[in-house]
Amino acid sequence: MDDKRRRAWRSMTQGSSGPIAEVCRRGALLRERQVDWNGLLALEAQDQTWLVDWSGGVLSVLCQSPVWISWLRRNEKNILKRWNARFPETSARQIVAAVRPWSYRLPQSAGIPRAPQISAEAPEALRAVTGQVPQAIAAALQRLANTMDRLQAEAVTKVSAKENGARRSA
């Protein structure tokens, strides 16, 4: 019987070859170096910067925002000195930083936010129901009806202000 559970598990970072194994080894090394990178930085910068690569005398870093790129430039000399003392076999001469792309965020709409569309009958329908429900719920429905009335009044005021502005500019 060939039981796979009895075979020794082989890690991708050990004796494997090929492109997938190379990516796994590089990822494991990057994970280790990220801990060392954080040790070189001040506490406030540790969660804002990520080491991406170190080769050719250049440390490549992703930053949370442009503020941290400026911070890295101001502290580049000290960081490089500590890096070269810690890793003399991969010494670095400069730090190249970029702002981390946030691809998982939804794109922000460039349009003007629209006011909610509220039926003119909705507030009156809510007020009509208030006599048939317990007092606490009736009070909540009354507040909701008042809010809807205010939102409708604001929408009408904004539209009329735009119309007045358009008439004056014409």
Side-chain angles (χ1 to χ4, degrees):
M1 184 164 124
D2 187 22
D3 190 4
K4 292 182 180 181
R5 289 176 287 172
R6 291 184 183 218
R7 290 184 189 171
W9 185 73
R10 218 172 42 158
S11 167
M12 288 299 286
T13 59
Q14 293 172 353
S16 301
S17 62
I20 294 175
E22 180 59 32
V23 168
C24 289
R25 277 192 293 277
R26 186 70 174 172
L29 184 57
L30 182 59
R31 202 173 311 118
E32 291 170 13
R33 288 283 169 99
Q34 181 64 43
V35 173
D36 294 325
W37 169 255
N38 284 341
L40 301 174
L41 302 175
L43 189 59
E44 69 268 9
Q46 290 179 6
D47 289 337
Q48 309 298 325
T49 61
W50 298 270
L51 182 65
V52 177
D53 189 31
W54 59 94
S55 61
V58 176
L59 298 177
S60 299
V61 179
L62 286 178
C63 298
Q64 183 86 13
S65 71
V67 171
W68 296 103
I69 293 175
S70 299
W71 186 92
L72 282 173
R73 285 189 188 129
R74 284 192 309 272
N75 295 288
E76 183 173 17
K77 190 175 181 180
N78 292 331
I79 294 169
L80 288 174
K81 188 187 303 181
R82 286 189 235 138
W83 176 272
N84 292 335
R86 177 83 171 89
F87 303 105
E89 70 281 358
T90 56
S91 64
R93 296 180 312 279
Q94 73 179 55
I95 297 174
V96 175
V99 175
R100 179 180 179 184
W102 294 99
S103 59
Y104 64 86
R105 285 188 178 173
L106 295 174
Q108 299 294 330
S109 64
I112 299 170
R114 289 193 287 161
Q117 300 295 323
I118 300 171
S119 168
E121 298 85 29
E124 289 307 317
L126 288 174
R127 286 188 184 96
V129 175
T130 57
Q132 304 165 2
V133 293
Q135 185 178 3
I137 295 174
L141 290 175
Q142 185 66 37
R143 286 193 305 272
L144 179 59
N146 292 341
T147 301
M148 293 171 117
D149 283 337
R150 270 185 272 132
L151 286 173
Q152 286 177 337
E154 287 174 11
V156 169
T157 304
K158 287 179 184 177
V159 169
S160 64
K162 286 181 184 177
E163 289 173 355
N164 290 338
R167 280 189 220 124
R168 288 182 188 143
S169 64

